[in-house]
Amino acid sequence: MALADDPADGSGDTVGVEQHPGAGDQLELFPLEASETPAAPEPAADVVDAPTPTFADAAAQTLEDLRARLPLGTWLVSRVVEPHYTLLAVRSEVAVAGQTMRWDETLCRTMVGQGGARLVADVSAVPDYADRRMGRVFGVRGYTGVPLLGPGDQLLGTVCGLSRDPLDTDGFGVRSWLRVMEQHAGWLSGLLSAELAELPAQRTADHRVAQQRGDDLTGLADRRGWGFLLQREEQRAHAYAAPSGVLLLDLGATRSVGPVRRAAAAAASALAGRGSVVRLDGRQLGVLCTADDQRELRATADAVQSAVLASGCMFTSGWAVREPADGLPGAWRQAERRLMSVRRAPATA
């Protein structure tokens, strides 16, 4: 981040230019008092030295602290898994946790992806911000936001504040304020990265629990285990906006358990720990697929079907991605509808 330096003689008003690293172009101007010496931010350090909280608790604490320092009407912590932008923590009268919108419609997309300013006095005066649907939905005039970054600067989400009125930046300590925002964002980024890294081990443990309620002939989890797995993954979706989907494989009129075992082994191998295979009934397998992003999720479902075909098993299938409004139960219903549609297709052709 680059900011214009104060004049060496300390006279007159100065203008701070807030930019992203490498953004290059001047973006937004904020008058600063010439005598202002940016104070070191009150550390979220009091918090950092305390016992490590969960990401959810830290997000709530961050929003309370930021709202106390700058009382904007709306404060948000979001998770970004393209194409979705999901609100994980909210302090607002116009937004709720779990609400989603397209990432490319958000003000934060401009801040992150187009080198936009991290504090904008009036978004209606800055075309790249004024064009975003998020600003119109929430009636936003003032905006401040910073990204949450994981290992390798992977974008995990954002922290942002929204105001229905333009921000009065006269005498505003822009540099000090952004340091506070970035300090909180760094804290949240570390906690979120650590918790996301734990998800594969959690899923493995869940799979073992589900297998205890298993099908005796195949050793696979049964419908009770399937319900348990969907419930647990739905909890992760609410906590982290973790992508997931349901793939149903119908093996047709198989007369022995051999093809079921072979298909299940092929599917599990293709999943490579990114989900679970369950026997839903005599001839139908349910595959819960998980991934870090939507493209990987689709690729995983395709890999499972290719592996089952390569094992010599014929099947019909139905696939659905979890959508925030319907959850995994809705994805299961959608996959069943698609499977039934494929089954009926030859008879209606």
Side-chain angles (χ1 to χ4, degrees):
M1 177 185 310
L3 282 160
D5 293 331
D6 293 341
D9 62 4
S11 62
D13 289 339
T14 65
V15 176
V17 183
E18 194 277 312
Q19 295 180 322
H20 260 297
D25 298 327
Q26 178 171 310
L27 295 169
E28 181 65 285
L29 305 180
F30 305 100
L32 301 178
E33 294 295 331
S35 60
E36 178 194 11
T37 302
E42 292 176 31
D46 314 346
V47 178
V48 174
D49 291 339
T52 303
T54 65
F55 170 75
D57 288 343
Q61 188 170 344
T62 287
L63 296 188
E64 288 297 335
D65 182 59
L66 294 178
R67 186 169 66 171
R69 294 167 185 264
L70 187 62
L72 304 184
T74 293
W75 283 100
L76 310 170
V77 173
S78 72
R79 177 88 165 95
V80 176
V81 181
E82 293 193 58
H84 297 303
Y85 169 92
T86 304
L87 304 184
L88 299 185
V90 172
R91 291 295 178 271
S92 172
E93 295 180 357
V94 296
V96 295
Q99 189 170 350
T100 65
M101 64 177 59
R102 288 189 58 85
W103 168 234
D104 59 11
E105 296 177 341
T106 67
L107 297 168
C108 293
R109 175 67 177 81
T110 300
M111 179 269 293
V112 170
Q114 295 178 229
R118 294 185 175 183
L119 195 154
V120 183
D122 187 351
V123 299
S124 67
V126 184
D128 285 344
Y129 281 94
D131 291 342
R132 297 295 181 184
R133 178 173 174 268
M134 180 183 185
R136 298 192 298 274
V137 168
F138 293 124
V140 178
R141 295 293 296 278
Y143 168 85
T144 183
V146 292
L148 302 180
L149 300 175
D153 287 339
Q154 174 194 5
L155 179 65
L156 301 179
T158 67
V159 181
C160 72
L162 312 174
S163 171
R164 289 182 175 273
D165 300 311
L167 300 180
D168 180 4
T169 56
D170 288 343
F172 189 83
V174 176
R175 283 167 287 192
S176 297
W177 171 251
L178 291 176
R179 287 193 194 102
V180 171
M181 290 275 289
E182 289 159 0
Q183 188 173 35
H184 275 288
W187 182 44
L188 292 181
S189 295
L191 292 172
L192 180 55
S193 296
E195 291 185 19
L196 290 175
E198 293 172 359
L199 297 189
Q202 292 177 13
R203 290 175 176 130
T204 298
D206 289 346
H207 179 74
R208 289 176 181 151
V209 171
Q211 281 186 308
Q212 294 173 8
R213 316 171 188 192
D215 170 65
D216 292 337
L217 292 175
T218 63
L220 297 172
D222 60 13
R223 290 181 76 92
R224 291 174 301 167
W226 177 250
F228 169 76
L229 290 169
L230 293 187
Q231 180 183 48
R232 292 284 290 161
E233 195 59 38
E234 186 67 15
Q235 291 169 353
R236 283 185 277 269
H238 281 283
Y240 307 109
S244 57
V246 171
L247 175 65
L248 300 180
L249 302 176
D250 190 306
L251 302 176
T254 178
R255 297 181 180 277
S256 70
V257 75
V260 177
R261 288 175 176 159
R262 192 163 65 249
S269 177
L271 280 173
R274 297 188 300 274
S276 296
V277 184
V278 170
R279 190 182 189 189
L280 295 176
D281 63 27
R283 66 184 191 180
Q284 188 178 105
L285 298 178
V287 184
L288 174 60
C289 299
T290 63
D292 292 330
D293 57 53
Q294 296 292 343
R295 278 184 292 186
E296 181 184 316
L297 189 65
R298 177 73 243 194
T300 298
D302 289 343
V304 167
Q305 294 181 85
S306 296
V308 174
L309 276 176
S311 75
C313 297
M314 302 301 294
F315 61 87
T316 53
S317 66
W319 162 250
V321 172
R322 178 193 180 276
E323 295 294 341
D326 301 317
L328 276 170
W332 184 11
R333 290 191 295 270
Q334 180 69 1
E336 284 185 322
R337 285 192 290 268
R338 289 173 177 169
L339 178 61
M340 293 302 296
S341 176
V342 173
R343 280 179 180 169
R344 294 189 186 111
T348 58

